Each structure stands twice: as structure tokens, then as C-alpha cells.
Amino acid sequence: MKTSLTIIFMVFVGLLMTACQSENDDLNIGTDTGIEGKTSVKFELDASAIGYEVSTKAAQFSPTYTKDGFSIYAFRQGVGGTDYVYEKTISLTNLSYSSSTKKLTGSDLLPIGTYKFLPVYGLANQSTLLTIPTWSTQTLSNDFTIKYSGGRGLTEIFLPITIGNIDALTSYDMGLTSTANETVTASLQRAVSRVDVMFIKATKADDGTYTETAYPTGKDVFGQKAIKTLQMRYKGLNNLMSFFGTNLTTTVFNANINLDLSKNIILKGEHPTETAIGKGSYLSYDNISSNDLIFGGAHIFGNYLFPNSTADKTTSLEIYIEPEGGIGRTINVSYDNDHKLPIERNKVTIVKIYVLDSDPDNPNPPTVFDTTVNFEVEIETVWNGSNEVTGEIN
């Protein structure tokens, strides 16, 4: 999930028309908008870095990106001052998003002046889950925060993390000279972490290694039962993050998050011999297909969380899974401190649960719902872009 979003705002200055000079030789500046003191700002926002092509073979749910997910906050420098004060959130009314080119284009008006811009993705479209500043009269500051208090699961958030702070934001003169405005650029990175779950049948060797085994035709890890409820029960979550992705949490919280099963987040494996997810250079965590997973196994596209500042394992997880017309069960992933989850920015932590079967040719192999849970969990960080947590069901 190491992706980077580059946003380019193509800004065209209006015409500078010279009027008669006053006794003080002041210059009266106009613009091509026909509105005195305003300059027309054209936007060409390249969102291709966060867009993914959906696989044509039994593809799982993939994130989608729309115009309404973007926000661009404009801050204008006060006359004779050094502070930048909130001017407006760029209007999306005259902007359009193309799903083919993955670009947001259009224009808006801004008063002439010197600006800094704070672009983000994913705040406007989940305002009921997040608390952000009330922007009116706010001075641009490193203290701007985003608060998450649980409830439903988050969608993705992209922030200008690589910049680090407001001092590194470039200032731009808009309409102050007779030359065209400088093109404004910004880089966004994914500011959240994600936790996925995998269920795979396997044998276990004496040395503790696992060998994946496929289910027979017509069978799978859930016993062909539809899943009614899948709940992620967390302890030790972060709830406060800066607009540059810094973790500002002082008191962690607990939350039970029901995954939205209506979004096709459960994918059954179809590969005859092996799972590709997480191996080698695999990075298609937003575009997982059935052929990436061994036959009869299951991958569950999980939820996003505010990450830690380090790779420390601080978050506990229990998984509650209930089939239609059956009895649910709870799987304790983090049964001691050594088996808590690393929640890292821009990475996927995969909770891999092995359903053990000593006979790989068993015509009636065990499933999640007819075995008892006994984990031997280990945490690996060798995968590029993901963390792995493995356990087993005996």
C-alpha cells in the first residue's frame, strides 16, 4: 500500500489591467474574471495514484474514489503579516471527476493574495465519524487535528504527510504580478493503517511451519455457510491525528467495529495450490482476486485505523464471526502482549488464521465453525507494505 498521491492545481492568473496612476503611483489591479480583486483558479487534480484497476476475475471489494472525497483548504496571508488565515474550502461545484483519467478538473475563484493550500482526501465524505476543525477565522497551524471515536469503520484518509509541518508548505502569489501564477503542487500519502483477516487450511510440521492445503471441490473454510456478522473487537486504538499524519493520542480507546458484509469484503480462494497474498513483491492489497488465494480459503477486507507512530505492538484484537442460522464464535488473536497487532501508517496488518488438518486429503476437512480455537500467533514484518499475524485453529 505504498502509494503516493500527487495533486496538481493548474492556476491561471487573470489579466492585469493598468489604470491611471494615482498621485501615489498605486497600481489598480483587475482580473480576467470581471470581478475586481478576484483571480480565476483552474484545478487539474491527478488522482491516479489512489485509483486501482479492478480485476476481471472474481475481484473483491476495492476502494473507490470520488470528487466529493477531496477537500482543498486555502489559507491567505494577511496584509503585512506572516500568518495565513483560512480563506475558504475550494468549491467542487465547477469541478468534475473522470473515472477514466482519474483527474479532478475545473475552476474556482480566489481573492488576489499570497496563499498556502492544505489538500486532503477522505474527511468530507465521513464527517459523521470524524471531528475536524471549524475553519472560520482559523490561522494555519500544526495543531489542526482529526478525531475518530470508533463506531463504524473508517474509509481511507490521505494527508500531506511527507511535508511534515506548515512551515514546509510552499507559499504562492495569486494574481499579484503580470506573469502567470506558479503551478501549485502537493503530495499526499495514505495516513491510515488497515487490518485484514485470512482463514486458510493447513498442516503443521514439527518445526512449527505451516503448509497450506486446498479444500476439496465444493467445500470451503466456512463450511459453505454465509456469514451474518463479522465484528472486529479492538482494545488500545488511537483517536487523534494531526493533518500531517502525526499520532497525537493521549488516551487510547476500545471499539467493536462491524464490517460491512454488503460490500463484498469476503473473498473465497480459487487457486489450486497456493496463496500469493503477501509473498514476494505482492502489493495488490486493494485489488485482491480469487486467484490470489488458495482454494477454499477466505480473505476478509478489513477496516482502517489511526496508526501508531512506531511499529510497536500495542493493539489487541478479538474476532467475532457468526454464520447465517448458526452459532457465532470468538477468536482471541491477541492473547498476550507478544501477540498484539502492529498498526502502522500506510501498511496492511494481516491476521492469518490457519485451520489445521493433519490429513491434506481429508474429504471432510475442518472448518471455522466446527473446530476449537487454539492459537500459536507470530508477528512478521517482512512483507513490503504489510504486517502479518499468524495463528491457527485446531
Side-chain angles (χ1 to χ4, degrees), residues 53 87 128 131 135 149 156 192 218 248 297 342:
E53 295 298 329
E87 178 69 30
T128 58
T131 302
W135 294 112
S149 301
E156 288 178 287
V192 289
L248 301 177

Side-chain angles (χ1 to χ4, degrees), residues 32-66:
D32 62 345
T33 65
I35 303 175
E36 186 174 354
K38 296 278 188 176
T39 184
S40 177
V41 181
K42 184 177 180 182
F43 297 88
E44 184 177 332
L45 192 156
D46 184 356
S48 59
I50 62 173
Y52 296 89
E53 295 298 329
V54 177
S55 171
T56 58
K57 181 176 174 59
Q60 191 177 25
F61 161 81
S62 293
T64 57
Y65 308 98
T66 65

Side-chain angles (χ1 to χ4, degrees), residues 349-379:
T349 295
I350 297 182
V351 178
K352 184 183 288 186
I353 302 174
Y354 290 112
V355 179
L356 294 186
D357 187 4
S358 58
D359 179 7
D361 298 320
N362 185 354
N364 295 297
T367 71
V368 169
F369 298 113
D370 59 14
T371 60
T372 58
V373 178
N374 182 20
F375 286 105
E376 293 179 9
V377 177
E378 59 188 19
I379 298 175

Side-chain angles (χ1 to χ4, degrees), residues 67-90:
K67 177 180 76 171
D68 294 337
F70 293 94
S71 301
I72 306 164
Y73 305 113
F75 295 82
R76 184 164 61 133
Q77 190 176 51
V79 177
T82 58
D83 290 338
Y84 289 78
V85 179
Y86 173 76
E87 178 69 30
K88 65 179 292 185
T89 300
I90 299 301

Side-chain angles (χ1 to χ4, degrees), residues 193-393:
S193 177
R194 196 177 89 209
V195 178
D196 288 2
V197 180
M198 292 174 62
F199 292 95
I200 296 176
K201 185 167 74 75
T203 60
K204 183 180 180 182
D206 292 338
D207 63 1
T209 59
Y210 301 99
T211 301
E212 299 177 1
T213 59
Y215 274 84
T217 301
K219 297 183 182 295
D220 62 47
V221 73
F222 297 141
Q224 296 182 291
K225 296 179 180 178
I227 304 303
K228 177 183 177 181
T229 303
L230 210 161
Q231 187 178 78
M232 309 286 273
R233 298 174 176 176
Y234 294 102
K235 292 182 179 179
L237 295 180
N238 297 320
N239 67 348
L240 205 62
M241 180 168 60
S242 79
F243 266 70
F244 297 99
T246 304
N247 179 24
L248 301 177
T249 301
T250 57
T251 303
V252 296
F253 75 106
N254 304 332
N256 297 338
I257 298 174
N258 287 313
L259 301 185
D260 187 351
L261 300 179
S262 69
K263 291 185 176 180
N264 191 35
I265 64 170
I266 299 178
L267 184 73
K268 301 290 182 62
E270 293 184 3
H271 195 281
T273 59
E274 63 181 355
T275 297
I277 301 169
K279 296 180 180 178
S281 59
Y282 186 90
L283 288 175
S284 299
Y285 300 107
D286 287 339
N287 187 24
I288 295 173
S289 72
S290 57
N291 203 46
D292 296 337
L293 185 63
I294 195 166
F295 189 91
H299 175 271
I300 297 160
F301 192 107
N303 63 286
Y304 297 96
L305 298 171
F306 280 15
N308 294 328
S309 300
T310 67
D312 293 344
K313 306 168 189 175
T314 60
T315 302
S316 298
L317 172 65
E318 287 184 350
I319 301 170
Y320 176 75
I321 183 168
E322 180 182 344
E324 293 283 358
I327 299 175
R329 71 181 319 158
T330 300
I331 302 172
N332 185 10
V333 173
S334 308
Y335 54 83
D336 60 26
N337 288 333
D338 289 336
H339 299 96
K340 291 183 178 180
L341 306 183
I343 306 297
E344 296 183 72
R345 186 177 67 202
N346 200 26
K347 289 189 177 182
V348 179
T349 295
I350 297 182
V351 178
K352 184 183 288 186
I353 302 174
Y354 290 112
V355 179
L356 294 186
D357 187 4
S358 58
D359 179 7
D361 298 320
N362 185 354
N364 295 297
T367 71
V368 169
F369 298 113
D370 59 14
T371 60
T372 58
V373 178
N374 182 20
F375 286 105
E376 293 179 9
V377 177
E378 59 188 19
I379 298 175
E380 299 179 1
T381 57
V382 297
W383 292 353
N384 187 19
S386 70
N387 293 309
E388 180 187 18
V389 177
T390 61
E392 64 184 49
I393 300 178

Side-chain angles (χ1 to χ4, degrees), residues 2-57:
K2 294 182 177 178
T3 57
S4 180
L5 168 64
T6 301
I7 296 181
I8 301 177
F9 308 98
M10 300 298 295
V11 186
F12 294 95
V13 67
L15 299 175
L16 298 180
M17 298 179 295
T18 304
C20 297
Q21 289 181 310
S22 67
E23 293 180 359
N24 295 324
D25 293 329
D26 291 331
L27 190 66
N28 180 21
I29 299 178
T31 74
D32 62 345
T33 65
I35 303 175
E36 186 174 354
K38 296 278 188 176
T39 184
S40 177
V41 181
K42 184 177 180 182
F43 297 88
E44 184 177 332
L45 192 156
D46 184 356
S48 59
I50 62 173
Y52 296 89
E53 295 298 329
V54 177
S55 171
T56 58
K57 181 176 174 59

